[in-house]
Amino acid sequence: MQHSIFSGALSALVLVLAPVPLAPVARAGSPPSQAELGPAPSDPAPVEPGSIELAHPEEVLFDASEDGSRWAVGLKYKLAARPGGVAYAPFRGSDAPRSEILEWRPTSLSIGAKALAFHAEGAVSRADSTLRTDRGSLVELLRCGTDEVEFVAEVQVPAGASGALVLDYALGSEYAVAPDPAGGLVFHGELGDVFMGAAVAVEPGGARTPVTLDPIDRGFRFVVPADVVARSGGRVVIDPFITSDTLTSLTGAFDESVDVAAYNNQFRIAVERTFSGTDHDVLVYRVGTFPGLSASFTGTFSGTFEDWRDPSIAVRASRGDMLVAARSVTATGPEIRCIWSDAVTGNRGFPFTIMEGFDPDICVETTSNGLSPRWAVVCVGSDASSTTPLLRRMVGGNGVSVGPIGPIFSWNPGTDVRLVSIGETTGPDSATGLTEFRAAYYEVGIGFRNLRLLRFNRDGQNLGISQLQSIAGTVRHLSLCSLGEANLGPAFRTCAVAYEESDSVTGLIDVKVVASDGVGPRGEPVSMGELMNVNRGLARRRPSIASDGVRWTVSFEEDADFTLPKRIVVVEGSYAGGRFGLTGRRITQSDFFGDYFAPSTLAKWVGDSDLSEDSKCLTAYLGGGGTRAALTEPIPERAAGVQECVAEPNSASSTGAWLSVLGAADVVSDKVVRLQDAPPNQFCLLLTASAPNFVPGVSGSDGNLCLGLPGFGRFNADLGAISPAGTRDVTFRPTAIPQALGTTSASVGDSWWVQAWFRDTNAGGPTSNFSNAVRIRFDH
């Protein structure tokens, strides 16, 4: 065993802490000033889609904090070498109610009953895997292995000193100390024990002499015999006998939430990992796509015993600067803190407090035209003027020393703000095209529930609040993204909000998407259950939406009737004229399907500057206690049909008959118009028109006519009955669209609406009904 050599005669005391097993969480790293949270490598070549599991690092992770402490996380422990002493927590499993911390600090040192002075507050440093605290005549070392920690106390013995060496340590309040029958000491805690092995002195010739290790009142004592000190030649090494604890009923680490940011063709992922019920950590990964999908651990938000949750990550796409936000509950309440990583130097500062609140979401400017990049953080919080949760936001500048731009802004229109999500878009609102930040939030008041959008600029000035949607049910999750529309002016820079809504009557949970130009909504919300030609009774939750400027994607959790297993679904589509159309629905990888409990997903598009077809989407999600990520490619075909109008209930479906169109949005290829959820075996026909309309209960029908008058075409060649399953497919030929007199052809830019009429029964009597309508827009 190698030891540091100091000038003058000295003695060394060594002991070992043998903690409990810990699931792999960390690897050896450099100090924060050299943390690998900087620029990404050159853009990799595109690869085929794939999926990976983010394995937690299997070595030791090191970190530092502003109070001068150095931190280490191994497989079985987390510890801090502090100026005043050592704090050590064994990993008891992610289901442990809290972290139980063993603390000790030196209180007295003597040789031959003569006191030897040392610094109560030492200087802590790190060299490789050793943490060093220099107290003058006493130097303490923590040699951090993956499974155990050696605690070494080296004492410089003054010239001429003789007699026994006595070193006392005081314990913190959580553990009680007692002799261990196997040798050494055992520290008893409420959640388990920690063992300190018996120690021996290694003399210059290699002989090993026992060192006394006894418990004292609220602490422990080491005694090195006088003859060992005399024979040492000025240097005594105490080598421990390593013991292990007896705990066996441990569970592994568990990931709680995940967030993703894109940087060129790479991604950054922030993961919340449970150390105990009172100690969650935020880990950061880099995900590359060349030569294959892979993930590497890059750093931690904070290696302390503090509780960090709900991470949000953002990357300045033009350069790679990165900002991570998380929230912690302190003695004064929940607070949001951030840490900035500079892509050029690789330096990162210490976490800094932003404001009070929880559930943070963060955004960084993609470009700043030579100016310092700005960022914005939003959260749900409170202040002295409000007794209900409100929306809080802050704009800040870049750099290790980060300061706010203007005051913290709080908004509460006399309601309870439940959820918030932020996005940004850089558009032509000025000569420099500066950023406009947008925050979507869900508010609840007496008799109303609203989805709203707050706009503000990079200088922290509010630009307005928009009403997006009045909500009938309950919203439990929302996500916002820019759709990337360019050159339309600031009032038309479109964004979209995806949210989970539960129906207040039926209890059905579905994911919906609504678009906005920042002033108001652009069209009605679109339900995933309506867009996808699948069972609309499935429960869909926790959506995340993103766009590459051409396509959009929504990822969400799906299950049937709240049963397992759950799966992660990625839906891709197109957007035009305030409406969304479906391109594809994917469960692309085998490991997308499994027992995933409450996964949190987020997808980001990346691709070439011309947004060509090799753009890709990364979806990160939780499953089996860990974090996974899957890379998908978009389907090149754009949507042919977008659902519109309202279908009334029929005798077979309380949600009405549903019409959709499968196929490309071109003027040549045939499309398939599909009817579902209709009364089985009833006669039906399909109608088409070049304009929409809305006539409820037309001619005594139970349904609504959604086609424009005075005339519309009828698919006479496809007259027939609905199948026993309540479905029917009809071919739509753009080169032969039915009209009152003959047929016509579609041209690029045209839109045609299609609707199904069918016979039905109501209270046992005959009637008729309509499906919804679907708009076919021919754009190529």
Side-chain angles (χ1 to χ4, degrees), residues 506-715:
T506 65
L508 178 67
I509 298 175
D510 206 350
V511 168
K512 296 183 178 180
V513 179
V514 61
S516 173
D517 56 12
V519 176
R522 299 186 69 181
E524 292 297 317
V526 177
S527 164
M528 292 297 103
E530 296 170 347
L531 270 184
M532 298 182 297
N533 298 294
V534 295
N535 182 3
R536 280 182 283 157
L538 293 176
R540 301 178 178 91
R541 305 180 185 86
R542 302 178 67 90
S544 180
I545 187 168
S547 173
D548 67 352
V550 174
R551 289 163 297 269
W552 55 271
T553 183
V554 179
S555 57
F556 51 86
E557 162 195 338
E558 181 180 84
D559 66 81
D561 302 324
F562 307 99
T563 59
L564 296 176
K566 299 182 182 195
R567 57 187 175 186
I568 306 302
V569 177
V570 178
V571 173
E572 299 160 358
S574 63
Y575 171 84
R579 297 294 296 175
F580 292 89
L582 182 69
T583 297
R585 176 181 185 271
R586 296 187 172 197
I587 306 173
T588 56
Q589 307 297 329
S590 60
D591 65 0
F592 257 53
F593 195 88
D595 292 338
Y596 299 126
F597 296 91
S600 177
T601 65
L602 190 140
K604 291 285 187 181
W605 289 101
V606 294
D608 293 342
S609 58
D610 62 356
L611 300 173
S612 59
E613 294 300 341
D614 63 356
S615 295
K616 292 180 175 62
C617 167
L618 189 82
T619 300
Y621 57 101
L622 303 179
T627 298
R628 302 169 187 235
L631 189 70
T632 61
E633 290 180 337
I635 300 174
E637 171 183 288
R638 282 174 285 183
V642 175
Q643 286 72 23
E644 295 187 358
C645 205
V646 178
E648 298 296 335
N650 60 59
S651 59
S653 172
S654 62
T655 57
W658 189 249
L659 204 66
S660 57
V661 176
L662 308 179
D666 65 278
V667 297
V668 178
S669 64
D670 291 350
K671 329 297 176 194
V672 175
V673 179
R674 176 165 295 168
L675 177 67
Q676 63 185 39
D677 297 339
N681 305 313
Q682 294 287 348
F683 176 81
C684 80
L685 58 84
L686 265 70
L687 308 172
T688 184
S690 59
N693 200 352
F694 184 77
V695 183
V698 61
S699 300
S701 172
D702 282 356
N704 309 311
L705 176 64
C706 301
L707 304 182
L709 298 173
F712 43 79
R714 185 175 65 185
F715 290 77

Side-chain angles (χ1 to χ4, degrees), residues 283-540:
L283 309 179
V284 179
Y285 294 83
R286 173 184 292 145
V287 177
T289 59
F290 181 82
L293 192 63
S294 62
S296 59
F297 180 79
T298 63
T300 181
F301 181 84
S302 172
T304 66
F305 292 125
E306 294 175 297
D307 198 22
W308 298 109
R309 306 194 184 197
D310 307 325
S312 179
I313 188 170
V315 176
R316 182 185 176 196
S318 62
R319 195 174 75 162
D321 299 332
M322 183 169 59
L323 189 67
V324 181
R327 67 97 172 167
S328 181
V329 178
T330 65
T332 58
E335 67 177 22
I336 308 299
R337 303 187 77 185
C338 296
I339 187 168
W340 176 272
S341 174
D342 182 89
V344 175
T345 64
N347 291 341
R348 69 182 176 116
F350 295 106
F352 53 92
T353 300
I354 295 295
M355 55 190 166
E356 295 178 354
F358 53 93
D359 292 335
D361 203 6
I362 195 165
C363 189
V364 176
E365 284 183 309
T366 56
T367 180
S368 56
N369 296 289
L371 304 175
S372 297
R374 302 283 172 83
W375 47 262
V377 179
V378 294
C379 68
V380 178
S382 62
D383 60 22
S385 63
S386 175
T387 58
T388 58
L390 46 76
L391 168 66
R392 309 200 80 190
R393 66 104 174 126
M394 177 181 176
V395 177
N398 74 314
V400 175
S401 299
V402 183
I405 308 299
I408 297 174
F409 173 78
S410 298
W411 174 259
N412 187 339
T415 61
D416 182 357
V417 176
R418 301 288 180 85
L419 301 166
V420 63
S421 179
I422 192 171
E424 64 89 24
T425 179
T426 302
D429 56 351
S430 68
T432 56
L434 299 179
T435 294
E436 176 183 299
F437 294 104
R438 295 173 178 182
Y441 62 97
Y442 169 61
E443 62 177 7
V444 177
I446 300 176
F448 65 88
R449 304 168 187 266
N450 293 319
L451 190 65
R452 308 189 76 179
L453 188 70
L454 169 68
R455 299 165 50 223
F456 53 98
N457 64 21
R458 72 189 310 268
D459 294 323
Q461 298 172 329
N462 294 324
L463 303 178
I465 295 178
S466 306
Q467 169 75 1
L468 293 184
Q469 182 66 20
S470 177
I471 305 295
T474 301
V475 173
R476 291 187 175 88
H477 191 86
L478 61 82
S479 173
L480 177 146
C481 79
S482 168
L483 291 182
E485 291 191 55
N487 303 318
L488 296 179
F492 297 98
R493 291 177 302 173
T494 304
C495 63
V497 178
Y499 57 97
E500 169 198 324
E501 181 180 355
S502 60
D503 190 287
S504 58
V505 177
T506 65
L508 178 67
I509 298 175
D510 206 350
V511 168
K512 296 183 178 180
V513 179
V514 61
S516 173
D517 56 12
V519 176
R522 299 186 69 181
E524 292 297 317
V526 177
S527 164
M528 292 297 103
E530 296 170 347
L531 270 184
M532 298 182 297
N533 298 294
V534 295
N535 182 3
R536 280 182 283 157
L538 293 176
R540 301 178 178 91

